[in-house]
Amino acid sequence: MKSAIIATLVASAAAFAPAPVAKTTTSLNAFEDELGVQPPLGFFDPFGLLSGDVTQERFDRLRYVEIKHGRIAQLAFLGQIVTRAGIHLPGNIDYAGNSFDSFPN
């Protein structure tokens, strides 16, 4: 009876022991030393754009496009703020003679 209780206790204690975790490597480890990689997240690729066989050229192209789109979004925001403040470009917006001021905010 005592041996059955001890066996049950040992089995239940083994259920809470940490399971061994295998280290896996991916192609994303190639970009772990790039600018912008920060702990604890490391290299962040939520959409999996760089999964599979990815070259350094593709990584550089995606980074360039992301920076370009960010700058365009910043200029669009600044243009919206300036226009809402009442500052309009001089001149006409088309050949019909409509000025920039003729369109409401």
Side-chain angles (χ1 to χ4, degrees), residues 24-104:
T24 58
T25 60
T26 64
S27 63
L28 295 180
N29 289 340
F31 304 112
E32 284 293 326
D33 296 329
E34 291 292 333
L35 181 67
V37 175
Q38 297 177 351
L41 211 52
F43 181 72
F44 186 61
D45 185 22
F47 295 120
L49 295 174
L50 295 175
S51 61
D53 187 24
V54 179
T55 62
Q56 184 68 35
E57 292 141 5
R58 175 155 170 79
F59 177 80
D60 292 339
R61 169 74 179 150
L62 288 174
R63 176 167 279 183
Y64 168 77
V65 169
E66 181 180 7
I67 291 171
K68 181 180 78 167
H69 289 150
R71 290 176 180 165
I72 291 171
Q74 290 172 3
L75 284 174
F77 177 77
L78 183 62
Q80 179 73 4
I81 296 298
V82 168
T83 303
R84 293 282 177 171
I87 302 171
H88 298 283
L89 294 173
N92 296 331
I93 197 168
D94 56 10
Y95 292 121
N98 296 324
S99 66
F100 286 99
D101 296 356
S102 64
F103 295 99

